[in-house]
Amino acid sequence: MPILFAMEGAVSQGILWGLMTLGVYLTFRILNVADMTVDGSFAAGGAVTAVLIIKGMNPVLTLLFVFIVGCICGLATGFMNTKLKINILLASILTQIALYSINIRIMGKANTPLLGSPTMMSGLRDLTGGALNNTRSSLIIGIVVIAAIIALMYWFFGTEYGSAIRATGSNEHMVRAMGVNTNNTKIAGLMISNGMVAMSGALVAQSQGYADVGMGTGTIVVGLASIIIGEVIFGAHFGFWYTLLSVVFGSVIYRIVIAVVLQLGLKSTDLKLLTALIVAIALSVPVIKTKIDRRRRSLPGMNLEDEANTRHKDEDLRRAEDDTSKLIPEVK
């Protein structure tokens, strides 16, 4: 039974962190850059929502301000990268380091509890008369938010400007040759990405009942692990919307693995090591699979379709040579 409760909590947390994973996917796969800003913007989202809730703002309304704060974080990284010509990795690390101090400034301390304060989860629990606990409330709210964000992403990246952002990550030089300002598309992508990451941090803070300045540590690794797990297990078969869903499912699977391992007796201090191992294994799976496929093709009789195609080509070539020889008269 304890492991079942742990699984339920893991699924709800995986959904809430799935929004962060979508933000990381936007920079890592669509823009094709490694953005370390997310470690700071995730904590910034938790800090802003905690302070605003304590000040009396509606928990749902705080998400709007959290998204704006996350966009500002992405804007800072994008400005340093595109205008000051600082390498994107270094620019994001600089923003991440600065956000540590800024988040403490926002909260006034390193940790802000939300015990006794209204949150989206407690509001849903009160709305149902206490029928839902905090875990199930988090799960329902997470599903609703994720569904809305995926629908918005699917619509936006199908527009002209959204397609320009996607094309910037695929071939920046071609997009620039078509007259698109790639600096602006990069900044827009970074802003949207960190806005979603900050919203994820806000939801996680409301779910766990506190915001901490260090809650975003290792966020980029968790996001990459979730993306790779989703891609390896589910692949990309039915279009962009399916890819976004697979990324969220990867986040859920990652949290389930963590919960099961903890129930089996692993210390919480070993989670970073476990995360690194999961990422390494997930990254190596496609490479191993490719090597196995190549070895299978090299074995005789294993790739019958290719052998049949080659045989048919040889027969067609021989037949063409015979027809040509018939057309050429014999020289006596």
Side-chain angles (χ1 to χ4, degrees):
M1 290 300 292
I3 196 169
L4 293 179
F5 288 118
M7 293 276 283
E8 184 181 15
V11 172
S12 65
Q13 287 298 306
I15 293 293
L16 297 181
W17 283 77
L19 183 55
M20 177 276 300
T21 307
L22 288 173
V24 175
Y25 176 82
L26 172 54
T27 54
F28 184 64
R29 287 301 191 209
I30 296 181
L31 282 181
N32 199 25
V33 296
D35 181 24
M36 300 291 291
T37 314
V38 296
D39 282 26
S41 58
F42 185 87
V48 171
T49 194
V51 171
L52 292 179
I53 287 175
I54 291 176
K55 296 294 184 181
M57 183 177 287
N58 185 290
V60 179
L61 185 58
T62 62
L63 295 183
L64 174 61
F65 293 91
V66 164
F67 181 78
I68 294 174
V69 170
C71 289
I72 294 173
C73 297
L75 175 62
T77 299
F79 179 83
M80 285 190 288
N81 174 238
T82 59
K83 306 302 181 182
L84 303 182
K85 303 305 178 183
I86 300 176
N87 181 273
I88 181 64
L89 185 59
L90 180 57
S92 60
I93 291 174
L94 291 174
T95 306
Q96 173 196 343
I97 294 173
L99 283 172
Y100 183 87
S101 299
I102 293 173
N103 291 336
I104 294 180
R105 285 278 187 175
I106 293 173
M107 294 187 291
K109 49 187 175 180
N111 185 287
T112 300
L114 290 173
L115 298 176
S117 300
T119 62
M120 295 175 64
M121 289 70 189
S122 64
L124 181 60
R125 187 171 62 248
D126 296 338
L127 188 64
T128 58
L132 297 174
N133 56 22
N134 187 72
T135 300
R136 293 175 182 172
S137 298
S138 300
L139 178 60
I140 293 174
I141 291 173
I143 291 175
V144 172
V145 173
I146 285 291
I149 293 297
I150 289 179
L152 286 173
M153 289 183 69
Y154 184 78
W155 166 80
F156 175 74
F157 286 105
T159 62
E160 183 177 351
Y161 195 76
S163 299
I165 295 177
R166 297 174 66 179
T168 300
S170 299
N171 193 329
E172 180 180 349
H173 299 290
M174 181 197 71
V175 176
R176 191 183 297 117
M178 295 174 63
V180 177
N181 190 327
T182 55
N183 287 340
N184 290 342
T185 55
K186 284 181 182 179
I187 292 175
L190 289 168
M191 290 176 65
I192 296 172
S193 169
N194 284 278
M196 290 192 293
V197 172
M199 288 179 64
S200 178
L203 292 174
V204 171
Q206 293 189 37
S207 175
Q208 64 189 12
Y210 68 92
D212 188 85
V213 71
M215 63 185 292
T217 303
T219 297
I220 182 66
V221 179
V222 175
L224 293 178
S226 302
I227 291 171
I228 296 167
I229 290 172
E231 290 177 342
V232 169
I233 295 179
F234 300 102
H237 304 290
F238 305 107
F240 186 58
W241 65 269
Y242 178 82
T243 302
L244 297 178
L245 278 178
S246 67
V247 167
V248 177
F249 290 150
S251 176
V252 173
I253 293 173
Y254 171 81
R255 288 293 161 184
I256 290 175
V257 171
I258 295 294
V260 170
V261 172
L262 287 176
Q263 287 295 317
L264 294 178
L266 185 71
K267 295 181 180 179
S268 58
T269 53
D270 296 330
L271 286 181
K272 300 299 181 185
L273 174 61
L274 178 62
T275 300
L277 290 175
I278 292 175
V279 173
I281 293 172
L283 284 170
S284 63
V285 167
V287 178
I288 296 173
K289 185 178 179 181
T290 302
K291 289 183 177 180
I292 293 175
D293 291 340
R294 288 178 179 175
R295 183 171 298 179
R296 184 182 292 114
R297 293 193 189 99
S298 65
L299 294 176
M302 293 300 293
N303 200 340
L304 299 179
E305 183 177 354
D306 289 346
E307 291 182 0
N309 292 334
T310 303
R311 188 165 54 252
H312 290 319
K313 289 180 181 179
D314 292 340
E315 291 177 356
D316 293 339
L317 181 61
R318 216 170 16 249
R319 191 177 300 110
E321 291 176 349
D322 293 340
D323 294 338
T324 303
S325 63
K326 292 179 182 178
L327 295 175
I328 300 175
E330 290 187 14
V331 180
K332 297 184 179 179

